[in-house]
Amino acid sequence: MRIVVAHNRYREAQPSGENTIVDSEIAQLTAAGVEVLPFIRSSDEIPSMSKAAKALLPISPIWAPRAQHDLSRLLTEHRPDVLHLHNPYPLISPWVVRTAHRHGVPVVQTVHNYRQVCSSGIYFRDGVICQDCKGRALGVPAIKHRCYRDSAVQSALMATTLAVHRGTWRSVDRYIALTSAIADHLRDYGIPDERIVVKPNSVPDPGRPAPLGDGFLYMARLSPEKGVDLLLDAWRRHPVGSLGTLRVAGDGELRHLVEAAAAERHDVVYLGQLDRAGVQAAVEASAVVIAAAMWHDVLPTVIIEALANGRPVLGTALGGIPYLVGADAPHEPAGTGPAEVASAVAGGGGGSAMPAGIGLGEAGWVVAPEPAALAAALPVARAGASGLTVGARARYERTFHPDVVTKRLIDIYAGLARTPNHV
């Protein structure tokens, strides 16, 4: 089987889980005997482009003529079975879907964000969930609020791109939704069920989990949508030292809040940005991993890292987090506010022993994205961590292990190559 993997890499200066996942997926497919033809562009190429190439950049998200030319040549020469698209912006463009179809090649896309509808891709603006552009022919609110790269001009370009390519996105042969929440997003966009497959990402198997550590680990970009300020607010509602240690790893615009908390309390430790070995050590030192997202986070890789190491997860009941931890509380559709989420998880999953407002899953707990709710769940998670370690590791092995995920992906390719549905 021969597969073209198309991806516009994000800048290396900005750590990208999507870049890591694409690299990992290519390696796993290759190891499984699939011939992978990478069609990769990088945003790091932009500064060194010629003046003529830079002059075409404003239209690249819509068309990207050089990318279409290069892809056409690749498709003609190698005649692949499937093109698998990840991020098309800004140097590849969704137009590659049309180019592949013109060559008779079906297209799979993994949906890593909400950019079929939202110019920023995250349904989050000014500290709250925002879906003002949903259902509009043109995302005027995105332009007004400068949602893409804090630029009205670039936001107008992205909003126009999304409007132009609405038909392009609806012609994709098969969508890979990383969680059930993304599947719902695609259905809401008008994609029929038969074109949607739920297949999460994976992380390498670290082997048999180390004995449970103590305290909590938060590992994410230190930005408003990732909820580090929510977590610190909840943590301060407990006496110093009563919950063990809170380890915080990552970097970003809210780093100063973490540094201030670490200076204020000896039970908060700031680890900075960690390499692979540092991540593993931090996970092993902890008992529970926290995912305190304030947006509908698609698939936080840190959760899969936690499950692989037999660490349960305490997360907010948004986006893909309930799916990842196997929470019994039903996932809420995009746009649900904190009050509705609190109602959905009230008394959820854990029977009479579980406090109201905390949803229990096979591998962790979910709560409303509010300081009081998260504060109430912290001691529950600390006390119950040892009881969910086996479930956490079992969920990883069954759903997120590379062998399971890679086989699922190859099956998707094989089914599509046999019965193409391109237009």
Side-chain angles (χ1 to χ4, degrees), residues 300-330:
T301 302
V302 65
I303 294 182
I304 307 178
E305 298 267 10
L307 304 187
N309 283 279
R311 268 56 178 173
V313 174
L314 171 58
T316 49
L318 292 172
I321 296 174
Y323 166 87
L324 289 170
V325 303
D328 292 339

Side-chain angles (χ1 to χ4, degrees), residues 237-255:
R237 298 183 184 215
H238 293 275
V240 174
S242 63
L243 296 172
T245 300
L246 171 62
R247 301 169 184 86
V248 179
D251 203 353
E253 61 192 278
L254 298 184
R255 173 177 174 170

Side-chain angles (χ1 to χ4, degrees), residues 278-291:
V279 168
Q280 184 64 28
V283 171
E284 290 182 358
S286 304
V288 178
V289 171
I290 295 178

Side-chain angles (χ1 to χ4, degrees), residues 89 115-119 158-166 169:
Y89 300 115
R115 195 162 274 152
Q116 288 82 13
V117 176
C118 175
S119 290
M158 182 55 69
T160 301
T161 298
L162 300 185
V164 167
H165 283 297
R166 190 170 289 110
W169 289 131

Side-chain angles (χ1 to χ4, degrees), residues 379-395:
V380 172
R382 190 184 189 208
S386 61
L388 292 187
T389 56
V390 173
R393 175 66 189 185
R395 183 155 179 78

Side-chain angles (χ1 to χ4, degrees), residues 121-144:
I122 63 174
Y123 278 153
F124 190 85
R125 175 176 60 79
D126 296 336
V128 297
I129 291 170
C130 169
Q131 295 185 328
D132 288 354
C133 293
K134 192 174 180 180
R136 293 174 177 265
L138 179 67
V140 174
I143 303 170
K144 175 182 176 182

Side-chain angles (χ1 to χ4, degrees), residues 2-273:
R2 184 175 294 161
I3 306 297
V4 172
V5 174
H7 176 56
N8 192 127
R9 296 182 67 84
Y10 296 89
R11 294 182 184 274
E12 294 302 326
Q14 177 183 343
S16 164
E18 194 170 328
N19 285 352
T20 301
I21 289 299
V22 172
D23 293 343
S24 176
E25 205 162 83
I26 289 174
Q28 291 163 9
L29 287 169
T30 301
V34 175
E35 182 181 354
V36 178
L37 304 172
F39 186 74
I40 307 295
R41 297 293 182 270
S42 173
S43 293
D44 286 329
E45 301 169 16
I46 294 174
S48 60
M49 285 180 171
S50 66
K51 289 183 178 180
K54 287 182 179 178
L56 293 174
L57 278 176
I59 67 166
S60 287
I62 298 175
W63 182 32
R66 177 63 184 270
Q68 309 319 310
H69 175 270
D70 292 347
L71 179 60
S72 289
R73 186 170 57 187
L74 178 69
L75 299 178
T76 299
E77 180 179 352
H78 294 282
R79 300 178 61 83
D81 297 294
V82 174
L83 182 142
H84 186 169
L85 176 63
H86 290 271
N87 173 45
Y89 300 115
L91 301 178
I92 291 179
S93 166
W95 204 282
V96 294
V97 176
R98 303 186 188 192
T99 300
H101 284 164
R102 195 174 73 248
H103 285 264
V105 178
V107 177
V108 170
Q109 194 203 9
T110 296
V111 181
H112 296 272
N113 53 47
Y114 303 98
R115 195 162 274 152
Q116 288 82 13
V117 176
C118 175
S119 290
S120 71
I122 63 174
Y123 278 153
F124 190 85
R125 175 176 60 79
D126 296 336
V128 297
I129 291 170
C130 169
Q131 295 185 328
D132 288 354
C133 293
K134 192 174 180 180
R136 293 174 177 265
L138 179 67
V140 174
I143 303 170
K144 175 182 176 182
H145 297 288
R146 307 160 65 98
C147 291
Y148 187 65
R149 297 183 177 177
D150 196 30
S151 164
V153 172
Q154 293 195 58
S155 296
L157 173 62
M158 182 55 69
T160 301
T161 298
L162 300 185
V164 167
H165 283 297
R166 190 170 289 110
T168 305
W169 289 131
R170 288 176 176 160
S171 76
V172 168
D173 301 276
R174 196 72 78 247
Y175 275 107
I176 294 176
L178 296 177
T179 69
S180 55
I182 286 293
D184 285 350
H185 158 71
L186 289 168
R187 291 186 193 100
D188 188 62
Y189 187 66
I191 307 301
D193 281 347
E194 61 268 21
R195 293 196 189 184
I196 303 170
V197 179
V198 176
K199 181 210 71 71
N201 295 328
S202 65
V203 299
D205 189 345
R208 184 177 179 179
L212 207 63
D214 182 55
F216 296 82
L217 172 65
Y218 171 94
M219 185 165 55
R221 185 170 60 253
L222 304 182
S223 55
E225 74 276 6
K226 290 292 187 176
V228 67
D229 46 346
L230 164 68
L231 171 58
L232 293 175
D233 189 340
W235 191 262
R236 288 190 178 98
R237 298 183 184 215
H238 293 275
V240 174
S242 63
L243 296 172
T245 300
L246 171 62
R247 301 169 184 86
V248 179
D251 203 353
E253 61 192 278
L254 298 184
R255 173 177 174 170
H256 66 283
L257 296 182
V258 181
E259 291 175 331
E264 171 191 334
R265 298 175 58 124
H266 68 74
D267 60 353
V268 177
V269 176
Y270 178 49
L271 303 176
Q273 193 76 42

